[in-house]
Amino acid sequence: MECTIRPAREDDAGEISEVILRALRETNAKDYTDEIIARLERSFSPDAVRELIGRRTVFVATIGHRVVGTASLDGSVVRTVFVAPDVQAQGIGKLLMAEIEHTAREQNTASLTVPSSVTAETFYARLGFTAVRDSYHGDERTIIMERSLDNASP
């Protein structure tokens, strides 16, 4: 499996939306209610993703011509890290996060914060992030995690 990480383009918005929606429905659904998933889905339509591409530094992971993952950097905050369910646990998320960290270092960012879903908490912990507090949006629990980049290896 040859996976490539590259900056997202506006014409990737539909495929990025598809990856996010599949991950929410198939992976995150085991940790969140249908109501929470439905609310999150509304935030990731192709038009909403296109708007995010204009506001954030967004990357995609591709295998061949297929978008299989995405991650974005909004200042020092990591957002929208999703991998298609059929290719999860194959290192794609780790590659995306390495690109995010590389970009943050180039911008002289001292630390990264990620509002993690319950589903992804273990993934971020394996990458050196530490939970600092819980945040709630209604009944949706998010774990705010941080990682210093000062002493981390690139």
Side-chain angles (χ1 to χ4, degrees):
M1 169 195 73
E2 180 74 26
C3 182
T4 304
I5 308 298
R6 64 167 172 77
R9 302 181 300 251
E10 277 194 27
D11 65 346
D12 292 322
E15 284 186 273
I16 293 169
S17 173
E18 221 174 274
V19 166
I20 293 171
L21 296 180
R22 280 193 56 217
L24 286 170
R25 292 174 185 147
E26 297 175 35
T27 306
N28 293 63
K30 68 178 185 249
D31 295 314
Y32 292 99
T33 65
D34 291 343
E35 293 77 26
I36 292 171
I37 297 297
R39 185 173 65 235
L40 290 170
E41 286 177 337
R42 288 191 292 274
S43 300
F44 296 111
S45 68
D47 286 339
V49 169
R50 201 169 290 107
E51 193 263 328
L52 290 176
I53 291 170
R55 276 194 300 128
R56 300 178 183 166
T57 303
V58 181
F59 296 100
V60 293
T62 61
I63 296 176
H65 296 289
R66 178 183 171 214
V67 172
V68 295
T70 188
S72 66
L73 186 62
D74 186 7
S76 64
V77 181
V78 179
R79 299 196 180 273
T80 58
V81 180
F82 290 94
V83 174
D86 60 303
V87 293
Q88 287 176 359
Q90 296 181 30
I92 295 167
K94 190 174 180 179
L95 288 173
L96 284 162
M97 287 300 294
E99 189 65 31
I100 291 286
E101 287 189 25
H102 175 75
T103 301
R105 286 176 197 284
E106 285 183 336
Q107 297 170 355
N108 294 316
T109 301
S111 65
L112 291 174
T113 300
V114 62
S116 174
S117 65
V118 172
T119 310
E121 182 179 13
T122 303
F123 167 74
Y124 292 116
R126 282 195 307 261
L127 295 177
F129 284 81
T130 305
V132 292
R133 66 183 164 85
D134 286 347
S135 176
Y136 290 88
H137 182 269
D139 58 350
E140 176 191 351
R141 177 177 170 236
T142 301
I143 302 97
I144 307 302
M145 302 182 78
E146 293 181 352
R147 176 171 178 221
S148 171
L149 296 180
D150 293 337
N151 299 318
S153 57

